[in-house]
Each structure stands twice: as structure tokens, then as C-alpha cells.
Amino acid sequence: MRLQRRRVDSGNRRIVDGYDTQLRTLFLRNVLYPVIDFAHSLPVAVMLFLGGLCYVHGIVTLGAVVAATLYMRQLVEPLDIALQWMEQLQQSGASLARLEGIGQVATAEPTGGTEPADDRLVATAVHYTYCGRHDVLLDVDLAVRPGERLAIVGPSGAGKSTLGRLLAGTDAPRSGTVTLGGVALDALPAGELRRRVVLVTQEHHVLLGSLRDNLAIAAPTADDDALLDALDAVEAHWVRELPAGLDTELGVHAHVLDAAAAQQLALARVVLVDPHTLILDEATAMLDPTTARQAERSLAAVLHGRTVIAIAHRLQTAQDADRIAVIDGGRITEAGSHRELVAAGGGYADLWRTWHGGPDLT
Ligand code: ATP
């Protein structure tokens, strides 16, 4: 994305900022601790001096001076504790401010109200830009029929992933609309939208908590049988071997899932959500070939009976699709079945020839 220089510069700036901040706090600590130590000793010294004067003038007894000085000394510890509390209060205040910041970022949820009439996903005259300089998607029109398997192909940087995110409602177009059953995606509350359309990428997350917790975020009311069925559907048979079954704690210091199992867990969540449309963006691209084969088998089970929009980096996936949309330079340049596009001899035929490595275009 030609952002290398800017990223390196901003990284360097942050390192310098971090270093300066560390130095400043080190300086403050070097001032604070001697001041605290001095503040602890000062009252004792004052007490000894004044008590000494009073004793010399016969106003108080020596025992009274010693007792008062010792009491003063004993005050140091509770004061220390009070100071530590102050510090903890400040740290808590900073943490709370961060949480409040997150709360402020969340934008107002659409109230919904309008139900999508059907499962048709339609993009009309969609334009999208990342940094306002130039559109990476230009005038994209695309209608996905319910139950259709659509592959989106095109050269690197053409805008495939961007289109996938817009169709999933993760981002909103700069102009134009993306609708589901006649309702704009950004007018649907996030929960409603996710029940209908899910984007599956190569990023899968295992959260700290039990296997049950990890699945229940997709379906909080599902019972154990439903959770186990979802795992079975994606061939995650390893769950039967876990010592505590669904109660097994997952995470770095507990049971660690390998990449394929983590992907299966993510897919089991999709089964539980049961959306009618799935958008796949490189879902298995980062896995090694053996793991990828296993994950693809799991994926096949999830895709059954749903509308699938696959951003296809391997043209084999495109070949099996009902329809292929070719995207180049942010525009849809061709659309049709594999045979139609190969016969048309356009950009897709070129891609296929390059991929296939020979003149045989079937
Ligand atoms: P690939 O096959 O390499 O994943 P793609 O067809 O999916 O590519 P996109 O990732 O959608 O393409 O990117 C389309 C264009 O948008 C590219 O020119 C890319 O440089 C630019 N782009 C993508 N993400 C960002 C971003 N976060 N900020 C700025 N520009 C971006």
C-alpha cells in the first residue's frame, strides 16, 4: 500500500515519545521518593526538637517526649498505606477513563424496526474510499440471489476484500447502498445483521474462558447438545477427548487449540449463529496445506444450504461457483459462470490461463 515510509516514521516517533515519557516518569519518581522520605522524617525531627526544648525548660517529662516521638513514628506506616491507596485510585481512574473511552467510540445503534423482506443482498452504485484520496471501489452493482454461490476474483489490490466488508456491513459505502431484503445494512442493528450475514476471515479468535463460553457468545441460550452438535457439524471431534468436555478452559495457560481447531471453533460459532449468507475472505489461506484441507472440509459443512460469497484467491474455488464476478481496479468488469467467462476470452480467461499454466481453458 506504499505506506512503508509513513509507518516506519510513525513507529520511530512513537519510540522516541515512549523513551521521553519513561525518562520523565523516572525523573518524577527520583523527586517523589526523596520528598516522601523527607516528609516522613520531618515531623519526628520537629517533635524531637520542640519536645527537647520543652523538656529543657521543664514543661514536659522526658517520657512524654519519647512517647510522642514514637507515636509520630508509628503514623508513618498508615500514611504510607494512604499514599499507596491514592496511587491505586489514580491508576483505577486511568483504567476507568479507558473503558469510558471505549464506550464513547461505540456509535449509536440503529434502532431497526424495518425487517428485511427477504435474503437478497444487493449493492447499488457503491463507491468506497479509505483515506479520501481515490475510490478503491467505483460504481459497483451486484445482486446476490439467495442460495447462490458467488465467487469474487481479481488481481491483488483490486478491491475484493473491501467489497466483502461492504457486503457484510462491516464498513459502509461512501456513496451508493448495500441492502439486505430492501433494508440498508447500516439501518440494521449489529446483532440483527450478524444473525443474517457473517464474514469469515482468516482471523479466528480463541477467548480466555471455557470452550462453552467460547461457543456461547454466538448463541447464549443454546444448550450443551446444540453446542456439541455445532462442533460435530464442523468435524471438531477433538472435543470428545477433552478431559472436561465443554468445561475445558482454553487459553495460553490452559488448553491450547491448534490453528485448525481454532478455525473449527470459529466455524462452529457460525453454525450456531446460523446466518443465511456467508462471506468468506481467505478463510483458510494462512493455514498449512494439511490443516487447510481439514478446515475446508469443516467449511463445506457450514456452507451447505446458505448463500456463499467467496473471495477466491484460488481459481479452483471460482470454477465451482454458480457465478463469478471479476473485479479489477475497483470495478466489476465481468460476471458470469466459469464456462461463459472462459468462452468470452476476457480478463477472467487470462487469469484462468495463467493459473492453469497452459492453453487448456476447461
Ligand atoms: P488482495 O487480493 O491482495 O487481498 P484485494 O483485491 O482484496 O487484494 P483490497 O484489500 O480490497 O484488495 O484493497 C483494495 C485497495 O484498497 C488496494 O489498493 C489497497 O491498497 C487499498 N487498501 C486496502 N486496505 C486499506 C487501508 N486500510 N487503508 C488504505 N488503503 C487500503
Side-chain angles (χ1 to χ4, degrees):
M1 299 178 198
R2 295 196 214 119
L3 293 172
Q4 200 176 359
R5 192 66 256 155
R6 236 186 298 164
R7 290 273 188 262
V8 170
D9 288 347
S10 112
N12 286 342
R13 266 198 311 278
R14 282 174 196 196
I15 291 170
V16 172
D17 280 355
Y19 180 77
D20 288 347
T21 312
Q22 286 282 349
L23 269 189
R24 168 110 189 105
T25 52
L26 197 65
F27 167 75
L28 288 176
R29 263 178 283 163
N30 280 340
V31 175
L32 179 72
Y33 290 135
V35 168
I36 290 176
D37 283 345
F38 182 69
H40 285 164
S41 319
L42 186 67
V44 177
V46 171
M47 180 60 72
L48 273 178
F49 179 71
L50 290 180
L53 273 183
C54 292
Y55 170 68
V56 169
H57 291 93
I59 303 169
V60 292
T61 62
L62 188 59
V65 176
V66 172
T69 311
L70 288 177
Y71 284 142
M72 190 60 86
R73 183 101 206 107
Q74 280 177 8
L75 257 185
V76 166
E77 208 174 315
L79 275 177
D80 243 2
I81 292 173
L83 266 179
Q84 282 169 18
W85 282 353
M86 288 290 295
E87 192 184 325
Q88 281 176 9
L89 277 175
Q90 283 180 337
Q91 284 176 357
S92 313
S95 304
L96 191 66
R98 283 185 199 157
L99 282 180
E100 280 177 349
I102 293 171
Q104 281 165 10
V105 169
T107 47
E109 261 284 278
T111 47
T114 339
E115 277 281 301
D118 55 27
D119 301 341
R120 250 179 108 79
L121 198 54
V122 181
T124 315
V126 162
H127 288 254
Y128 186 81
T129 175
Y130 276 102
C131 36
R133 262 182 284 159
H134 70 281
D135 283 349
V136 294
L137 286 181
L138 296 131
D139 206 17
V140 172
D141 288 312
L142 187 69
V144 191
R145 291 186 299 275
E148 185 179 20
R149 295 202 164 202
L150 173 77
I152 300 177
V153 303
S156 183
K160 304 182 294 291
S161 300
T162 308
L163 181 58
R165 281 204 301 279
L166 295 189
L167 291 174
T170 312
D171 291 321
R174 177 178 70 75
S175 69
T177 54
V178 184
T179 58
L180 179 70
V183 180
L185 292 190
D186 50 11
L188 281 170
E192 289 281 308
L193 178 60
R194 286 297 151 254
R195 273 213 307 279
R196 294 175 161 91
V197 184
V198 165
L199 174 70
V200 183
T201 66
Q202 56 192 261
E203 278 176 46
H204 38 255
H205 302 281
V206 179
L207 310 170
L208 282 185
S210 68
L211 179 57
R212 182 183 285 102
D213 297 337
N214 266 275
L215 291 166
I217 52 167
T221 54
D223 59 20
D224 282 7
D225 286 341
L227 301 183
L228 289 171
D229 285 350
L231 287 169
D232 273 347
V234 297
E235 299 190 357
H237 303 305
W238 42 263
V239 63
R240 313 267 172 216
E241 282 144 37
L242 294 179
L246 287 172
D247 290 317
T248 307
E249 290 293 320
L250 304 181
V252 200
H253 300 298
H255 184 82
V256 180
L257 294 183
D258 60 32
Q263 179 69 289
Q264 284 174 326
L265 180 64
L267 292 175
R269 284 191 206 119
V270 176
V271 173
L272 286 166
V273 173
D274 194 21
H276 57 65
T277 301
L278 268 181
I279 302 170
L280 308 174
D281 188 1
E282 302 190 75
T284 56
M286 293 292 277
L287 302 177
D288 65 76
T290 320
T291 317
R293 265 198 298 283
Q294 193 181 342
E296 267 157 19
R297 272 207 310 276
S298 313
L299 198 56
V302 178
L303 302 188
H304 187 72
R306 300 178 207 275
T307 310
V308 179
I309 303 167
I311 293 162
H313 291 81
R314 289 178 306 149
L315 290 191
Q316 229 73 46
T317 321
Q319 193 185 11
D320 299 335
D322 300 327
R323 191 158 58 111
I324 300 165
V326 183
I327 186 162
D328 198 355
R331 290 180 195 277
I332 295 191
T333 50
E334 288 175 282
S337 71
H338 173 76
R339 284 197 168 275
E340 286 166 2
L341 293 183
V342 167
Y348 180 79
D350 287 344
L351 277 176
W352 180 254
R353 200 180 291 112
T354 316
W355 168 264
H356 220 248
D360 173 16
L361 290 182
T362 53

